[in-house]
Amino acid sequence: MQQELSPYLDWFTQYVARYAQPDSTEQQYIDLKHDHTLRVFENAGLIVATLPLDSVTARVALLGALFHDVGRFEQYRVYKTYSDRNSVNHGLLGCRILGQEQVLQGEPESIRKAVRATVAMHNKFALPIGLPEVVRVASNIVRDSDKLDIFPVLVSNFTRDGSKSDVVTLGLEEGKTQYTSVILHNVLHGKPVKYADMQYVNDFKLLLASWVFNLEYRTSMELLSERGAMEQLLDTLPALSEMDEVKRVVRAEMYRVLTSDVETKG
Ligand SMILES: [Fe+2]
């Protein structure tokens, strides 16, 4: 049974309150990450509940989920953007903030270190080889939980009429049918797509579609499928034959994972 996590939830709420913005549009960007964090924490709880984990790993995963984006608020305050490319690595910033704020003082050192490492790892392109097992598993849980939540948020950005925000679309070019070929190629071959290769909004859609290959746990795929956001995303792709191929590949991968016998993918 998990030791009470509510003091950490309270700390988080108070921490975010420090970043209150006088301008209501700017406040929305703060709220976006606050609400996102709570949903990621909830997703992590759902995934943790389906896995046979020891109590330390489960605790690191849940605390890692709660604090994964703690760096976002300082990032926004200083740089007014959530683009790491145009500012700082928010995972590393969050890891540093947890140390400065001494939030995890009540935890054993091993948990403190593992939570901070999980926060630092959550937004890495790929996890490095040789991570301690607790950090590796917790990071995978947080990464899946994060993707599951940010996914519908980003998709709704493409399905909403007209209004779009470059804080969320990372300042990409609109170009109705334009896309970057290396990104299409990687999606079709189940390879990871790099943020740095993105040029158009369609590239961002393709990057999101490629996440079907990046979820670690079958429970994550079940949640993605139940919530229907992948189909919503596929609906927003331009009417081009190569995009029909993307849809086919993405649906086949979902089906493969959902019908497999093992809990972990790949
Ligand atoms: Fe993040």
Side-chain angles (χ1 to χ4, degrees), residues 59-241:
R59 190 167 183 80
V60 171
L62 294 173
L63 287 170
L66 180 60
F67 294 133
H68 79 286
D69 264 356
V70 76
R72 285 299 197 186
F73 307 98
E74 187 64 14
Q75 179 184 38
Y76 190 79
R77 185 185 72 80
V78 177
Y79 302 99
K80 301 289 179 210
T81 181
Y82 290 140
S83 165
D84 284 15
R85 196 162 28 150
N86 297 327
S87 58
V88 285
N89 179 326
H90 74 277
L92 290 177
L93 179 58
C95 172
R96 200 180 326 138
I97 287 169
L98 288 179
Q100 283 166 357
E101 297 283 332
Q102 306 206 324
V103 195
L104 298 160
Q105 253 354 57
E107 300 292 324
E109 194 189 3
S110 58
I111 291 193
R112 285 206 307 267
K113 280 188 169 173
V115 172
R116 291 183 62 194
T118 300
V119 170
M121 293 297 142
H122 91 271
N123 61 331
K124 275 203 169 296
F125 180 61
L127 290 182
I129 296 165
L131 283 178
E133 186 64 3
V134 171
V135 176
R136 192 185 66 79
V137 174
S139 297
N140 277 328
I141 293 169
V142 172
R143 287 157 70 92
D144 272 18
S145 304
D146 195 15
K147 290 191 183 103
L148 281 173
D149 187 67
I150 200 73
F151 197 89
V153 172
L154 295 173
V155 170
S156 74
N157 209 56
F158 305 130
T159 52
R160 258 200 325 251
D161 273 344
S163 65
K164 56 182 192 298
S165 151
D166 68 357
V167 173
V168 183
T169 58
L170 311 176
L172 295 164
E173 292 172 49
E174 185 63 71
K176 289 266 181 275
T177 57
Q178 285 169 293
Y179 62 86
T180 301
S181 53
V182 67
I183 291 185
L184 176 77
H185 180 272
N186 286 2
V187 176
L188 291 179
H189 294 85
K191 290 187 183 156
V193 173
K194 292 187 175 167
Y195 280 88
D197 288 334
M198 294 194 303
Q199 218 186 318
Y200 304 105
V201 170
N202 284 327
D203 295 337
F204 198 9
K205 293 177 183 176
L206 290 169
L207 177 136
L208 290 175
S210 80
W211 284 7
V212 80
F213 298 105
N214 303 142
L215 293 173
E216 186 69 18
Y217 300 105
R218 192 181 55 195
T219 304
S220 312
M221 194 68 89
E222 284 166 2
L223 292 169
L224 182 72
S225 170
E226 279 166 20
R227 294 172 183 180
M230 183 58 88
E231 281 303 319
Q232 275 179 24
L233 171 75
L234 296 179
D235 276 350
T236 70
L237 289 171
L240 300 169
S241 60

Side-chain angles (χ1 to χ4, degrees), residues 6-20 34 101:
S6 62
Y8 292 111
L9 279 155
D10 293 344
W11 179 87
F12 180 71
T13 306
Q14 285 162 17
Y15 178 78
V16 176
R18 286 196 232 158
Y19 290 87
H34 171 262
E101 297 283 332

